[in-house]
Amino acid sequence: MFADAFGIPEDPATGSANGCLAGYLLKHQFFGGSEILINVEQGFEMGRKSILYLDAYIQDNHISVQVGGQVFDIASGWLN
Protein backbone atom coordinates (compact mmCIF):
# COMPACT_ATOMS: atom_id res chain seq x y z
CA MET A 1 0.00 0.00 0.00
CA PHE A 2 1.10 3.54 -0.65
CA ALA A 3 0.97 5.99 2.25
CA ASP A 4 3.21 8.84 1.22
CA ALA A 5 1.93 11.05 4.05
CA PHE A 6 3.29 8.45 6.51
CA GLY A 7 6.65 8.01 4.81
CA ILE A 8 5.71 4.97 2.68
CA PRO A 9 6.17 6.20 -0.90
CA GLU A 10 6.34 2.73 -2.44
CA ASP A 11 4.83 -0.69 -1.90
CA PRO A 12 7.42 -3.47 -1.70
CA ALA A 13 5.36 -5.75 -3.98
CA THR A 14 1.94 -5.33 -5.56
CA GLY A 15 0.84 -8.54 -7.22
CA SER A 16 -2.63 -7.24 -8.04
CA ALA A 17 -1.27 -4.14 -9.79
CA ASN A 18 1.33 -6.13 -11.71
CA GLY A 19 -1.31 -8.62 -12.85
CA CYS A 20 -3.20 -5.70 -14.35
CA LEU A 21 0.03 -4.47 -15.93
CA ALA A 22 0.50 -7.84 -17.64
CA GLY A 23 -3.03 -7.71 -19.04
CA TYR A 24 -2.54 -4.15 -20.27
CA LEU A 25 0.75 -5.00 -21.98
CA LEU A 26 -0.87 -7.92 -23.79
CA LYS A 27 -4.04 -6.10 -24.79
CA HIS A 28 -2.01 -3.28 -26.34
CA GLN A 29 0.63 -5.67 -27.78
CA PHE A 30 3.44 -3.76 -26.11
CA PHE A 31 5.90 -6.58 -26.80
CA GLY A 32 4.26 -7.56 -30.10
CA GLY A 33 3.22 -11.09 -29.14
CA SER A 34 0.48 -13.10 -27.51
CA GLU A 35 2.51 -14.13 -24.45
CA ILE A 36 4.78 -12.41 -21.95
CA LEU A 37 7.18 -13.72 -19.35
CA ILE A 38 8.68 -10.80 -17.45
CA ASN A 39 10.14 -9.95 -14.05
CA VAL A 40 9.08 -6.82 -12.20
CA GLU A 41 11.36 -5.29 -9.57
CA GLN A 42 9.77 -3.26 -6.81
CA GLY A 43 10.56 -1.98 -3.31
CA PHE A 44 14.23 -1.21 -3.90
CA GLU A 45 13.98 2.44 -2.83
CA MET A 46 12.51 1.43 0.53
CA GLY A 47 15.10 -1.28 1.19
CA ARG A 48 12.62 -4.17 0.72
CA LYS A 49 13.43 -5.37 -2.77
CA SER A 50 10.90 -7.68 -4.36
CA ILE A 51 10.89 -9.47 -7.68
CA LEU A 52 7.56 -10.56 -9.11
CA TYR A 53 7.22 -12.96 -12.03
CA LEU A 54 4.50 -12.27 -14.60
CA ASP A 55 3.37 -14.98 -16.99
CA ALA A 56 0.47 -14.05 -19.21
CA TYR A 57 -1.04 -14.95 -22.56
CA ILE A 58 -3.98 -13.95 -24.71
CA GLN A 59 -6.02 -16.46 -26.69
CA ASP A 60 -9.37 -15.87 -28.43
CA ASN A 61 -9.48 -12.37 -26.88
CA HIS A 62 -9.22 -13.90 -23.37
CA ILE A 63 -6.26 -12.88 -21.20
CA SER A 64 -4.84 -15.28 -18.60
CA VAL A 65 -2.39 -13.93 -16.03
CA GLN A 66 -0.27 -15.55 -13.33
CA VAL A 67 1.77 -13.55 -10.84
CA GLY A 68 4.34 -15.17 -8.58
CA GLY A 69 7.24 -14.37 -6.35
CA GLN A 70 8.53 -14.88 -2.85
CA VAL A 71 7.69 -12.96 0.30
CA PHE A 72 8.64 -13.00 3.95
CA ASP A 73 6.62 -12.07 7.01
CA ILE A 74 7.36 -8.71 8.54
CA ALA A 75 4.48 -8.70 11.01
CA SER A 76 1.64 -10.85 12.28
CA GLY A 77 -1.36 -10.30 14.46
CA TRP A 78 -4.66 -11.59 15.76
CA LEU A 79 -8.15 -10.21 15.38
CA ASN A 80 -10.61 -11.19 18.11
Side-chain angles (χ1 to χ4, degrees), residues 20-47:
C20 294
L21 171 65
Y24 179 89
L25 293 174
L26 279 175
K27 181 175 180 173
H28 298 283
Q29 297 184 346
F30 187 80
F31 294 112
S34 61
E35 183 176 12
I36 59 172
L37 287 165
I38 58 175
N39 297 341
V40 176
E41 298 177 350
Q42 209 174 340
F44 285 71
E45 292 293 322
M46 63 189 313

Side-chain angles (χ1 to χ4, degrees), residues 22-76:
Y24 179 89
L25 293 174
L26 279 175
K27 181 175 180 173
H28 298 283
Q29 297 184 346
F30 187 80
F31 294 112
S34 61
E35 183 176 12
I36 59 172
L37 287 165
I38 58 175
N39 297 341
V40 176
E41 298 177 350
Q42 209 174 340
F44 285 71
E45 292 293 322
M46 63 189 313
R48 292 177 54 200
K49 75 176 188 174
S50 300
I51 300 175
L52 297 172
Y53 310 105
L54 306 182
D55 181 359
Y57 66 91
I58 187 168
Q59 183 177 10
D60 299 326
N61 210 28
H62 176 78
I63 298 173
S64 295
V65 176
Q66 293 184 11
V67 178
Q70 296 180 345
V71 299
F72 60 91
D73 289 334
I74 60 165
S76 64

